[in-house]
Amino acid sequence: ERSHGVTIDVAQKSFTTETKSVTLLDAPGHSDFIPKMITGVCGADVAILVVPATSGEFESGFGPNGQTKEHALLLKALGVNQIIVSVNK
């Protein structure tokens, strides 16, 4: 995964605080791995959607075939109503 620069499988890490039990899932965003992304999102209460800040990439993410737009729609369709948007330079 690291050599290709994309997440291929869903990674999981858990921790507990005094009041919460948190499970973090790193789901793939590349279009070739959308089924795995959906699997990772199915049980989520909240999502962090990472979008590129690079000129051109940001705009294309919201275009007709943009992955950012597709991911946001999938999150909503899968019942995730709380989305944190993180801009990655």
Side-chain angles (χ1 to χ4, degrees):
E1 291 184 15
R2 288 181 191 255
S3 65
H4 290 81
V6 295
T7 301
I8 296 172
D9 209 354
V10 178
Q12 179 178 330
K13 187 73 175 175
S14 299
F15 64 92
T16 305
T17 69
E18 290 182 20
T19 59
K20 305 248 187 269
S21 177
V22 178
T23 301
L24 301 173
L25 300 171
D26 180 11
H30 192 273
S31 61
D32 291 344
F33 307 107
I34 292 295
K36 290 186 179 187
M37 180 262 200
I38 291 171
T39 301
V41 169
C42 280
D45 296 317
V46 179
I48 300 174
L49 182 62
V50 181
V51 298
T54 308
S55 182
E57 287 184 37
F58 180 84
E59 293 80 5
S60 69
F62 291 96
N65 296 320
Q67 287 183 335
T68 304
K69 184 178 177 180
E70 180 181 359
H71 293 336
L73 291 171
L74 281 171
L75 289 169
K76 182 67 174 167
L78 293 168
V80 180
N81 295 315
Q82 298 179 44
I83 302 171
I84 300 166
V85 178
S86 173
V87 181
N88 183 18
K89 63 175 185 164

